[in-house]
Amino acid sequence: MEKNQIQDYINSNKDRFLNELLDLLKIPSVSADPKYKGDVEKTAEAVKKRLVEAGADNVEICPTKGFPVVYGEKIIDPKKPTVIVYGHYDVQPADPLNLWDSPPFEPVIKKTAGHPEGAIFARGSCDDKGQMFMHIKAFEAMMKTNTLPCNVKFMIEGEEEVGSPSLGPWIIENKEKLKGDIILISDTSIIANDTPSIDAGLRGLAYMEVEITGPNRDLHSGVYGGAVANPINILCKMIASCHDENNHITIPGFYDKVQEVSKEERAELDKAPFDLNDFKKDLNIREELGEKGYTTNERTGIRPTLDVNGIWGGYTGEGAKTVLPGKAFAKISMRLVPDQSSEEISHLFKKHFESIAPKSVTVKVTAHHGGEPVLVPITSKGFIAASKAMEETYSKKPIPTRGGGSIPIVALFKKELGLDSILFGFGLDSDALHSPNEHYGLFNYYKGIETIPLFYKYFTA
Ligand code: BES
Ligand code: MN
Ligand code: MN
């Protein structure tokens, strides 16, 4: 009966639930760009307001060194389990703006591939405002129908997209406040709207920046060309040498801690339906590319990677300038899998990159933020509750998958609070997160709101 009550409440509030999300999406909470500082703070206020309206107690905007954490709770009975909901209200920068079909902070609803009933187009619609807001609406529905079966604590941060630098310290200072039984997060994807899945792991991240210096100034490329090192030529060679002909990474020791996934588990993970032709068509590529010996799903799920995120130097303006640049730069990131450590890999990278540079240049390697990979035990109470909840609303058992992205704070939840996280995502990989025309399906939004209360039910039972 409970379920119908909640479903009725959701059905009769559908339009309002949507409009409230659209309002949230209109605030450009780009955490990476100081220009939007005021808007990020305004978004925290908006989240606070919605938590209060939904029925949360002790709602506060908790200051940190960076953007605040929005906290709120409902303790119905200290003897009952406590679900801690984590999400983020900050978003990625919207650029390149010219590639958006509609302005990123003026949400519009349109039909698109994979979403015949329409999707909300806006930066943050899927990652993570839309997914985070489902939890506030699901909580509201449980509160207004008197069906909340356990305690809830909300912890919504504003710095996930810049590596969560302030949330770690905040958690350590607030361990008492954050006593609970499980962390619940919707910030990942499912396979397809008719194929639910739950990530049983996420990759970690080591993010580096390199600077190659050659001659002490930019030079005439005719007068000096051929006689001194060109830092861009050298950098390209160095980067190219980081993969061998099988696309294995060549950094000594890089794979030492990589957990080999058993044949059985690989077979299990390979049950996830995947159409390579659709994959190629969606990305408009003739052929996929990756580490030899692994399938596309394995390459993004259980294997580590090394990728250049950006590379610059020399002349990139209009027309041609004949110059031999004095410097070259690149941002290089590595996705990590259990049991690689972000600090260790950063160190191995630095040592290796310095060692392969010819004498004709000098190399400076610095590390940016990182994060550890995580695994979620699929036999745990939380995973099973999530699985049952999805099975009920999708009429299909969700498939355990591995997420290729990273949520660095998840490893910290385990380390500092001793809590596992349930990666209860409802987005699609094709929702263009971090890209132009990010969107989130209306189907996915409402399905999430409908499924979340069932997690509470099964986790409490
Ligand atoms: N929500 C994503 C992570 C994600 C997306 C995991 C899809 C699995 C599937 C998160 O907001 C994100 O973008 N994380 C960053 C890391 C962060 C340090 C900037 C990432 O994965 O690049
Ligand atoms: Mn996210
Ligand atoms: Mn993101």
Side-chain angles (χ1 to χ4, degrees), residues 105-116:
F105 299 107
E106 294 170 29
V108 290
I109 294 164
K110 277 185 308 194
K111 286 187 180 153
T112 188
H115 296 293

Side-chain angles (χ1 to χ4, degrees), residues 45-171:
E45 291 290 346
V47 172
K48 176 185 171 188
K49 178 169 163 255
R50 295 305 184 199
L51 274 173
V52 172
E53 287 167 0
D57 297 327
N58 303 320
V59 184
E60 45 173 333
I61 293 197
C62 310
T64 70
K65 274 215 175 94
F67 290 118
V69 178
V70 186
Y71 178 86
E73 62 182 22
K74 188 76 205 176
I75 308 298
I76 57 162
D77 177 354
K79 289 194 280 304
K80 295 242 156 101
T82 300
V83 174
I84 303 180
V85 175
Y86 164 82
H88 62 94
Y89 62 81
D90 65 320
V91 302
Q92 282 277 322
D95 7 11
L97 282 178
N98 59 317
L99 294 183
W100 283 77
D101 296 331
S102 56
F105 299 107
E106 294 170 29
V108 290
I109 294 164
K110 277 185 308 194
K111 286 187 180 153
T112 188
H115 296 293
E117 55 300 285
I120 310 159
F121 282 78
R123 171 56 86 231
S125 54
C126 177
D127 184 10
D128 180 41
K129 282 173 175 168
Q131 297 210 66
M132 174 273 288
F133 202 60
M134 299 181 318
H135 285 269
I136 300 184
K137 294 300 100 181
F139 169 67
E140 177 193 317
M142 290 186 281
M143 286 298 291
K144 304 292 156 155
T145 54
N146 270 314
T147 57
L148 181 69
C150 62
N151 308 311
V152 199
K153 294 175 177 177
F154 285 91
M155 163 176 53
I156 314 296
E157 73 151 315
E159 296 187 327
E160 197 277 341
E161 298 292 8
V162 290
S164 305
S166 311
L167 186 59
W170 187 81
I171 288 170

Side-chain angles (χ1 to χ4, degrees), residues 251-302:
I251 300 171
F254 186 83
Y255 292 99
D256 284 1
K257 301 275 170 73
V258 171
Q259 262 186 32
E260 286 301 327
V261 178
S262 70
K263 257 200 187 126
E264 293 74 32
E265 202 181 333
R266 278 175 76 176
E268 199 55 40
L269 289 167
D270 275 342
K271 281 189 188 154
F274 176 76
D275 189 318
L276 193 55
N277 281 325
D278 288 350
F279 177 83
K280 291 193 283 197
K281 215 169 114 195
D282 178 44
L283 301 176
N284 201 13
I285 51 174
R286 272 174 308 180
E287 198 169 79
E288 78 286 9
L289 182 73
E291 190 181 0
K292 195 175 171 187
Y294 296 91
T295 65
T296 297
N297 266 339
E298 290 173 341
R299 287 168 178 168
T300 60
I302 61 169

Side-chain angles (χ1 to χ4, degrees), residues 88 127 160-161 163 187-189 202 205 335 369 405-408 433-434:
H88 62 94
D127 184 10
E160 197 277 341
E161 298 292 8
D187 195 20
T188 51
S189 348
L202 286 176
L205 187 67
R335 294 280 168 178
H369 56 63
S406 310
I407 309 177
L433 351 176
H434 296 202

Side-chain angles (χ1 to χ4, degrees), residues 25 64 123 187 201 245 323 341 391 438:
L25 291 169
T64 70
R123 171 56 86 231
D187 195 20
E245 68 283 6
V323 62
S341 125
E391 184 173 1
E438 177 179 352

Side-chain angles (χ1 to χ4, degrees), residues 7 27 48 52 67 78 91 151 153 176 181 202 211 213 265 267 313 331 335 343 358 369 378 390 394 431-432 437 446:
Q7 193 59 57
I27 322 174
K48 176 185 171 188
V52 172
F67 290 118
V91 302
N151 308 311
K153 294 175 177 177
E176 209 40 51
D181 297 277
L202 286 176
E211 179 187 323
T213 306
E265 202 181 333
K331 291 184 194 278
R335 294 280 168 178
E343 207 186 302
H369 56 63
I378 62 172
M390 273 192 169
Y394 288 85
D431 284 345
N437 302 315
Y446 293 119

